[in-house]
Amino acid sequence: MSYRVICLACGSEVTASPRPHCSCGHSQLEIKYNPPEYFLAQLGKKLEVKSMWSYAPLLPVHPNTEPVTLGEGDTPLIRTSNLAKHLGIRELYLKLEGANPTGSFKDRCASVGVTRARQDGYKAISIASAGNAAASASAYAARAGLDCWVFVPKGTPPDRIVPIALHGAKLLQVEGSVNDCSDLVDVASERFTWLPVTTASIKNLYQAEAPRTIAFELWHQLDHRIPDWIIAPVGGGGLLSSIAQGWRDLLYFGLIDRLPRLVAVQAEGCAPLIRAVLKGTTPDGIESWGPPTTRVTSIADPFPMDGARAMRALKEHGGIAVSIDDVMAFSAEAQAARLEGIFIEPASAIALAAVEPLVAQGKILPDEQTVIIASGVGFKDMQIAASLINEPPIISSDVDAMFAAVEQLI
Ligand SMILES: [Zn+2]
């Protein structure tokens, strides 16, 4: 076997099943990989990266399994110029996860989750999601010819729901939060033998490994330099904790000698992880937030299911935690579009919006290399994007009217 599943509580090795669990009753598990020597040598030098699956020896699938792929991963890392200047920082990068096939980093998770479902003989997958993960899962299930059951919170924007339905998923809108959806998915999956691919490590350990590849890609794209800061949005906490794990894997293999620092960013109207960090709560003591008041719905998880992992990652990486209000987030979304030509979703804008206060507070220094994980593309939430623009004038089709209108806009 090219990997082992280890219990974080008691250290026992756990049988690598579709839904592994430790007999000690603890649910926090970790995967340790044993990649071939030639692959590690390539990784440290010049690995030709074509997709996330270029890192297959570091993903939890059988080496002979054909991946279910739509070309996810190998997303652009853009060094900003106008944005960096505006924010008073020398090297600011955006990792454009919106360039994935369905427009978010969740495609990485879905690719691994659906590949595992097929490897383990499942005919159907299931997922609870506020939109992005379900869009990914439904697309990859369609690609693999599997049924897909999706439970979303009622009020999920239509821009997110339409592609899920179009991919042929069976969709239920639940009057409750994404955590309520997840509880229902667990019960239904047990009853109907679906494989849950909900993007939380305790729901599906394997898909949670996928965003580690973002760390591997960053390391290659930065010519094997280690950034000073990585700033990521937090909903469930899986993205941040998985990227952190990717860097720790590189450290474990002896390929790097230090870790980047991390910033976890949540919306002020739903910030259970930030509250727990600021209060000094233990990782297992995170309390649920209650009904979210943020409009950034894709990260409005009242209880971050990977929050304990994210808190541990912050500690190991010397990380910090901040919350950002919606107005600042939407302003950052408009800035990225106007100053750099990059259209990001509100959840990504939340991470970008954290730069300004952190630079002002002297926590990020102007010459420190900083990477924003832009988790998804702006098309994911057109209602919010539409609220950021002025309605374009309508003119009659004559030259005088055109000149008058242009004069107004100059
Ligand atoms: Zn155990």
Side-chain angles (χ1 to χ4, degrees):
M1 187 56 86
S2 55
Y3 64 90
R4 292 174 303 136
V5 181
I6 308 290
C7 172
L8 278 175
C10 72
S12 308
E13 185 167 343
V14 175
T15 308
S17 64
R19 303 189 69 180
H21 62 275
C22 185
S23 53
C24 80
H26 207 272
S27 54
Q28 297 288 340
L29 306 174
E30 185 177 58
I31 300 182
K32 287 281 180 207
Y33 296 85
N34 310 303
E37 280 302 322
Y38 79 88
F39 178 77
L40 282 183
Q42 280 179 351
L43 202 61
K45 288 182 184 152
K46 262 197 180 149
L47 182 72
E48 196 189 340
V49 179
K50 291 180 181 157
S51 82
M52 176 185 80
W53 290 97
S54 298
Y55 302 101
L58 295 175
L59 289 170
V61 297
H62 192 279
N64 297 331
T65 299
E66 189 67 28
V68 179
T69 178
L70 290 166
E72 57 293 325
D74 192 24
T75 54
L77 180 69
I78 303 294
R79 182 172 177 177
T80 66
S81 53
N82 300 326
L83 257 179
K85 211 175 289 170
H86 175 77
L87 294 166
I89 185 168
R90 197 163 58 84
E91 274 187 83
L92 178 69
Y93 296 84
L94 292 182
K95 178 70 167 158
L96 296 188
E97 286 296 291
N100 278 305
T102 80
S104 87
F105 80 95
K106 302 274 187 171
D107 288 339
R108 296 177 190 263
C109 306
S111 181
V112 170
V114 173
T115 298
R116 279 300 306 217
R118 201 163 68 174
Q119 176 185 313
D120 295 322
Y122 282 83
K123 299 278 184 283
I125 59 165
S126 55
I127 187 162
S129 159
N132 278 346
S136 300
S138 59
Y140 284 79
R143 173 86 164 150
L146 301 181
D147 285 343
C148 182
W149 290 85
V150 174
F151 293 22
V152 299
K154 184 170 169 264
T156 299
D159 300 330
R160 292 167 188 270
I161 292 207
V162 170
I164 300 168
L166 206 55
H167 287 310
K170 296 176 173 87
L171 189 66
L172 296 173
Q173 301 186 68
V174 177
E175 288 182 335
S177 72
V178 71
N179 298 132
D180 298 320
C181 294
S182 179
D183 291 344
L184 291 177
V185 161
D186 284 351
V187 175
S189 300
E190 200 67 43
R191 169 78 174 75
F192 300 108
T193 326
W194 307 333
L195 181 68
V197 295
T198 299
T199 50
S201 61
I202 54 166
K203 301 297 177 188
N204 183 309
L205 179 67
Y206 302 115
Q207 61 72 32
E209 294 291 287
R212 290 162 49 257
T213 55
I214 295 174
F216 308 152
E217 288 178 20
L218 284 175
W219 189 54
H220 281 129
Q221 288 171 317
L222 291 169
D223 292 326
H224 295 150
R225 285 182 299 161
I226 301 154
D228 295 299
W229 292 99
I230 293 176
I231 307 181
V234 170
L239 174 64
L240 181 92
S241 52
S242 187
I243 291 174
Q245 183 60 52
W247 288 102
R248 290 201 300 278
D249 288 340
L250 294 176
L251 190 69
Y252 174 77
F253 295 133
L255 294 166
I256 59 173
D257 57 8
R258 69 179 177 90
L259 295 171
R261 297 186 70 190
L262 302 173
V263 182
V265 191
Q266 289 198 295
E268 245 177 44
C270 186
L273 181 85
I274 311 304
R275 182 176 63 185
V277 171
L278 297 181
K279 277 167 72 175
T281 311
T282 60
D284 294 322
I286 301 173
E287 289 174 358
S288 193
W289 185 262
T293 52
T294 175
R295 288 177 64 204
V296 187
T297 53
S298 66
I299 52 167
D301 300 43
F303 181 74
M305 285 193 276
D306 278 317
R309 279 161 72 104
M311 273 184 89
R312 278 194 286 270
L314 285 176
K315 199 166 178 200
E316 287 185 51
H317 288 248
I320 50 181
V322 292
S323 58
I324 293 293
D325 70 37
D326 285 9
V327 173
M328 284 171 71
F330 301 157
S331 163
E333 179 172 346
Q335 267 174 7
R338 197 175 60 246
L339 295 178
E340 215 68 54
I342 295 173
F343 187 26
I344 54 177
E345 68 170 345
S348 308
I350 274 225
L352 176 60
V355 174
E356 196 164 352
L358 291 172
V359 170
Q361 292 159 20
K363 288 182 176 157
I364 293 181
L365 303 176
D367 61 349
E368 287 183 320
Q369 197 179 43
T370 301
V371 176
I372 308 291
I373 307 298
S375 48
V377 73
F379 297 113
K380 289 285 188 176
D381 201 328
M382 290 301 284
Q383 277 177 318
I384 285 175
S387 72
L388 302 176
I389 63 160
N390 296 317
E391 188 67 25
I394 297 169
I395 59 167
S396 61
S397 62
D398 69 72
V399 171
D400 288 343
M402 178 273 288
F403 278 141
V406 169
E407 289 291 340
Q408 288 283 316
L409 293 173
I410 282 173

